[in-house]
Amino acid sequence: MSTEKIILGIDPGTTIMGFGVIKVVHKKMEFIQLNELNLKKYSDHYTKLKLIFERTIELIDTHHPDEIAIEAPFFGKNVQSMLKLGRAQGVAMAAGLTRQIPITEYLPKKIKMAITGNGNASKEQVAKMLQSLLKIKELPKNLDSTDGLAAAVCHYYNSSNQISSKSYSGWKAFVTQNEKRLK
């Protein structure tokens, strides 16, 4: 049994996609990277989706994660925004699934709860807690990258208890688990 695991966390978005990578060695977390893909300058939604897919593949090929944790879309009032966010999440998931990497979704409240103990914590509170936990010297200006990192850390904390999360090990598993929803 391997005592080392790499987890890629993704906060999908069509304006900014945040991501973070941690390594778990002997049940201890090590910070690897956090960054973001800034998509503000692109007006075409399909171009943004293509870039999200390509960047996710690049992250996978660079870091070789064993698992991916992704923030699930939250339900807001603007249906168009939700649709775009869902597409961004789907494209990032598709990138992982093409590389046969297990993916687990976490609701934003569950991620915040895992990091801060408060499901209603602010982005700033989550970022500060991650900074302390992982000894990050300087936090980024935008906190989308810390949201991606938070998904990875949440997954680490929940890895022994994934019953309440949706997890997929490949396209076949995704289709099987979502057959009723897809019809």
Side-chain angles (χ1 to χ4, degrees):
M1 185 170 156
S2 176
T3 58
E4 186 174 302
K5 167 170 56 173
I6 295 176
I7 303 170
L8 168 62
I10 299 174
D11 176 26
T14 55
T15 304
I16 297 174
M17 178 183 89
F19 58 88
V21 183
I22 60 170
K23 181 193 285 189
V24 179
V25 181
H26 301 292
K27 298 187 178 185
K28 185 178 176 196
M29 283 187 295
E30 293 179 16
F31 171 72
I32 304 276
Q33 179 188 16
L34 84 154
N35 210 331
E36 60 190 33
L37 172 63
N38 193 328
L39 300 161
K40 291 177 184 171
K41 65 181 176 182
Y42 303 98
S43 59
D44 180 51
H45 186 66
Y46 300 109
T47 300
K48 291 180 180 187
L49 294 176
K50 176 182 174 280
L51 293 169
I52 291 167
F53 183 85
E54 290 172 349
R55 182 64 173 128
T56 305
I57 289 290
E58 183 182 311
L59 287 166
I60 291 167
D61 291 348
T62 300
H63 296 288
H64 307 287
D66 299 289
E67 299 169 357
I68 295 174
I70 191 163
E71 187 173 303
F74 57 91
F75 299 101
K77 293 179 183 177
N78 186 329
V79 177
Q80 287 302 313
S81 293
M82 273 185 49
L83 179 62
K84 287 178 180 178
L85 185 60
R87 286 176 177 167
Q89 183 201 33
V91 166
M93 290 172 75
L97 292 169
T98 62
R99 294 290 201 262
Q100 302 298 312
I101 301 171
I103 298 169
T104 305
E105 295 178 80
Y106 292 97
L107 293 172
K109 278 189 178 266
K110 182 162 183 148
I111 294 171
K112 291 175 183 181
M113 180 65 94
I115 306 303
T116 67
N118 176 1
N120 295 315
S122 68
K123 281 180 171 280
E124 292 78 16
Q125 289 170 317
V126 171
K128 284 289 189 187
M129 185 61 85
L130 288 170
Q131 184 176 29
S132 175
L133 283 170
L134 297 169
K135 297 170 183 43
I136 300 168
K137 290 182 176 133
E138 192 175 327
L139 289 173
K141 191 172 103 175
N142 293 325
L143 298 180
D144 297 275
S145 54
T146 53
D147 286 349
L149 184 62
V153 173
C154 174
H155 184 66
Y156 164 72
Y157 287 148
N158 286 279
S159 60
S160 62
N161 182 17
Q162 293 184 359
I163 296 166
S164 62
S165 302
K166 293 182 182 178
S167 188
Y168 314 111
S169 58
W171 280 114
K172 187 174 182 178
F174 175 80
V175 172
T176 302
Q177 291 180 31
N178 290 283
E179 234 169 349
K180 290 178 185 166
R181 265 191 345 173
L182 296 171
K183 289 182 181 178

